[in-house]
């Protein structure tokens, strides 16, 4: 079986606080590490999706409704569902990495980095499916 959990792949988080949310794999660890001896991935995803916007809305309302809340997390492969989609959001790996979880300031900075990249991508209008709430 080939390795398909690669960085840039869109996944759905199945368990935990962010269950049902879409995320992008930032870095994958297929063989695990010493502290986590199972396959897992560092993912950045959307906690709060942007709201619907229409043409007649003003600039202020449009900017308010286009805000995204993001999350950065290390998730076991068993709790991820891969999709056929991939998003080429170039998240800075020097900011968003496993070391960011040790310090709350770095974690906040990593979340802010993911948020800015997601909002930037949302405003271009590409990958519309990724920025819509999962309906089930």
């Amino acid at each position: 079986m080939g390795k398909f959990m690669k960085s840039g792949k869109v996944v759905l988080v199945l368990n935990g606080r962010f269950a049902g949310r879409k995320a992008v794999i930032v870095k994958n660890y297929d063989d695990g590490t010493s502290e986590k001896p199972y396959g897992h991935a560092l993912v950045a995803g959307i906690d709060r999706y942007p709201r619907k916007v229409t043409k007649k809305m003003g600039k202020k309302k449009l900017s308010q409704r286009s805000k995204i809340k993001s999350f950065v997390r290390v998730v076991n492969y068993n709790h991820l569902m891969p999709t056929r989609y991939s998003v080429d959001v170039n998240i800075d790996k020097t900011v968003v990495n496993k070391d960011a979880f040790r310090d709350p300031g770095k974690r906040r900075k990593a979340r802010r980095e993911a948020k800015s990249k997601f909002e930037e991508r949302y405003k271009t209008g590409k990958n519309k499916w990724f920025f819509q709430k999962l309906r089930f």
Side-chain angles (χ1 to χ4, degrees):
M1 194 167 112
K3 306 248 192 277
F4 53 89
M5 294 284 224
K6 294 188 170 84
S7 61
K9 175 73 83 174
V10 176
V11 292
L12 301 176
V13 181
L14 300 176
N15 286 29
R17 179 179 172 186
F18 301 109
R21 302 281 194 269
K22 293 175 195 151
V24 178
I25 295 178
V26 177
K27 186 158 173 42
N28 58 325
Y29 301 91
D30 289 326
D31 302 325
T33 57
S34 57
E35 66 263 9
K36 288 184 165 60
Y38 47 84
H40 58 281
L42 174 65
V43 298
I46 299 178
D47 187 13
R48 194 184 312 122
Y49 291 92
R51 298 173 74 193
K52 187 180 172 187
V53 293
T54 58
K55 284 181 181 171
K56 63 181 176 183
M57 288 181 187
K59 280 186 179 169
K60 185 181 176 189
K61 192 162 199 171
L62 204 139
S63 68
Q64 288 284 37
R65 288 178 151 255
S66 298
K67 285 194 175 135
I68 293 172
K69 184 179 180 184
S70 64
F71 67 89
V72 177
R73 197 151 194 148
V74 177
V75 186
N76 187 335
Y77 278 170
N78 293 340
H79 307 308
L80 293 177
M81 181 186 215
T83 64
R84 63 183 177 177
Y85 301 105
S86 54
V87 177
D88 54 334
V89 178
N90 49 345
I91 295 173
D92 189 10
K93 289 186 174 85
T94 58
V95 179
V96 181
N97 53 26
K98 274 192 165 180
D99 299 333
F101 294 102
R102 288 176 175 72
D103 178 39
K106 283 184 181 175
R107 187 182 299 156
R108 212 172 4 256
K109 196 175 255 182
R111 204 178 308 127
R112 224 176 284 132
E113 165 73 16
K115 175 189 166 94
S116 68
K117 294 293 182 188
F118 284 145
E119 282 182 352
E120 191 178 293
R121 175 45 68 109
Y122 175 70
K123 285 189 174 91
T124 62
K126 293 180 182 158
N127 308 101
K128 280 196 160 77
W129 175 80
F130 181 69
F131 296 104
Q132 288 172 354
K133 203 172 188 179
L134 189 66
R135 309 294 289 184
F136 61 95

